[in-house]
C-alpha cells in the first residue's frame, strides 16, 4: 500500500526559526521530532506578512473534523510552554500539532493513532491566525 502524498504546506520564516530553535533545545531531546523536521524541510517558507490567511500557523485557532466519526473540535496550535494541559491547546511537538502546521483550510491529513490505527482529519475553518490579524511578532 502506498502512502498518501501529504498536502503542500506553508510556514512563515519566523515560525520556522522559532521551531528550529525549539528542536535544538533540550526540551525536544526526549521526543521523536522526525515528522516535524520533515514538515519543516518540505514547507514553503514565506515572510509573516505574506502568509496566506487560510493557512494554520503558530498560535492559530483551527477547527478540525475527524472524517471517521464526523466529530469536530477547536484547537490552538502553540509552543510547548503554552500547552499547559488544556485539551484545546496543542503543542507543535505533539504529532497532531506538527501535522496541522502549515495546512490550508480544506486540507485533509492522515493522523496515526495509538495501536496502529489512524484517522483522517480535515481543517474545516481557521478561526484566528496571528498573521491575518496583524499580530506579526507574536
Amino acid at each position: 500500500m502506498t502512502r498518501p502524498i501529504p498536502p503542500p504546506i506553508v510556514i512563515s520564516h519566523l515560525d520556522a526559526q522559532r521551531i528550529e530553535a525549539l528542536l535544538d533545545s533540550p526540551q525536544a531531546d526526549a521526543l521523536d521530532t522526525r515528522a516535524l523536521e520533515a514538515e519543516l524541510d518540505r514547507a514553503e517558507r514565506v515572510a509573516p506578512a505574506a502568509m496566506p490567511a487560510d493557512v494554520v500557523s503558530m498560535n492559530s485557532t483551527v477547527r478540525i473534523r475527524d472524517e471517521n466519526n464526523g466529530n469536530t473540535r477547536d484547537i490552538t496550535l502553540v509552543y510547548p510552554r503554552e500547552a499547559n494541559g488544556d485539551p484545546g491547546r496543542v503543542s507543535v511537538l505533539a504529532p497532531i500539532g506538527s501535522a496541522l502546521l502549515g495546512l490550508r483550510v480544506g486540507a485533509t491529513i492522515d493522523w496515526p493513532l495509538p495501536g496502529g490505527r489512524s484517522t483522517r482529519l480535515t481543517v474545516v475553518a481557521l478561526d484566528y491566525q496571528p498573521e491575518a490579524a496583524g499580530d506579526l511578532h507574536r
Side-chain angles (χ1 to χ4, degrees):
M1 185 168 130
T2 61
R3 299 186 90 194
I5 297 172
I9 60 174
V10 179
I11 300 174
S12 79
H13 292 293
L14 181 60
D15 284 349
Q17 289 171 346
R18 289 178 176 172
I19 293 167
E20 286 167 345
L22 177 63
L23 291 172
D24 289 339
S25 74
Q27 185 175 10
D29 286 346
L31 302 171
D32 182 355
T33 60
R34 289 177 293 188
L36 180 55
E37 291 169 14
E39 293 295 273
L40 290 175
D41 287 346
R42 74 181 190 88
E44 175 188 351
R45 296 182 184 203
V46 299
M51 178 65 88
D54 65 342
V55 172
V56 179
S57 64
M58 292 305 301
N59 298 304
S60 290
T61 300
V62 60
R63 179 168 296 124
I64 58 173
R65 179 178 55 239
D66 183 326
E67 297 299 336
N68 290 350
N69 60 26
N71 291 340
T72 62
R73 77 183 247 213
D74 294 337
I75 61 170
T76 300
L77 184 61
V78 298
Y79 293 99
R81 68 183 176 277
E82 299 159 343
N84 72 13
D86 179 340
R89 300 177 69 78
V90 175
S91 168
V92 69
L93 292 181
I96 189 172
S98 61
L100 290 172
L101 179 67
L103 290 180
R104 290 184 180 271
V105 172
T108 299
I109 57 164
D110 291 309
W111 180 40
L113 297 171
R117 299 176 299 133
S118 68
T119 192
R120 292 181 60 80
L121 299 176
T122 299
V123 178
V124 177
L126 190 58
D127 297 328
Y128 171 78
Q129 183 209 59
E131 293 85 358
D135 188 6
L136 301 180
H137 302 289
R138 83 259 168 288

